[in-house]
Amino acid sequence: MKPRQYAAGALLALPLACVATGEMPPLTAVPGDPQRGRAIVADRQVGLCLLCHSAPIAEERFQGNLAPPLAGSGSRWTAGQLRLRVADSRRIQPGTIMPSYLRTEGFTRVGSAWRGKALLTPQQVEDVVAWLGTLKE
């Protein structure tokens, strides 16, 4: 599938086919790097993933248990499904507490420092998806 270039925050214009199929095409022409993705997930200041999820990152203590474990993600979902979940999980499950990592519009009570800014760049999303894809059970 040919990568479609998405600017951070451009997810409100996502093709409806993404939602219907639960798959999102690559966000960048550069493939994700699993090592960078692991670092993003582990970093509590960048990805914030471990606040809610547990992951096979033994050196990180006090991992979350509010959301499903990330272990086995690569067995449960395709790269396109993982990408949509990370980029904007509300497209799949509107009531989820998981943040939309690329969306910048349609939120309420957003701190002024975060207004108009995505949590991750499209390349960072690709990196996280690449690492999650390596997590096979």
Side-chain angles (χ1 to χ4, degrees):
M1 184 178 296
K2 185 178 180 206
R4 179 172 176 184
Q5 297 296 314
Y6 289 96
L11 293 183
L12 291 178
L14 260 179
L16 288 177
C18 287
V19 179
T21 64
E23 298 262 347
M24 176 186 255
L27 298 166
T28 67
V30 177
D33 179 289
Q35 288 180 323
R36 284 193 314 249
R38 183 184 190 278
I40 291 166
V41 170
D43 190 324
R44 293 171 193 269
Q45 301 300 310
V46 179
L48 309 169
C49 306
L50 298 182
L51 293 176
C52 296
H53 296 277
S54 64
I57 304 176
E59 69 274 16
E60 290 297 325
R61 298 175 47 193
F62 308 115
Q63 297 184 21
N65 62 5
L66 293 173
L70 298 179
S73 294
S75 297
R76 292 191 299 271
W77 297 293
T78 66
Q81 292 169 327
L82 288 167
R83 189 174 295 110
L84 184 56
R85 281 168 169 73
V86 173
D88 190 4
S89 61
R90 285 179 175 87
R91 296 292 181 139
I92 300 164
Q93 187 178 6
T96 186
I97 63 170
M98 183 166 164
S100 298
Y101 280 89
L102 278 184
R103 201 163 142 198
T104 61
E105 300 171 353
F107 299 115
T108 57
R109 298 184 306 174
V110 176
S112 59
W114 289 101
R115 280 191 198 118
K117 297 178 183 174
L119 294 174
L120 296 178
T121 67
Q123 188 60 55
Q124 287 174 314
V125 170
E126 288 300 318
D127 294 341
V128 169
V129 168
W131 181 68
L132 292 172
T134 69
L135 302 180
K136 310 280 185 181
E137 290 182 319

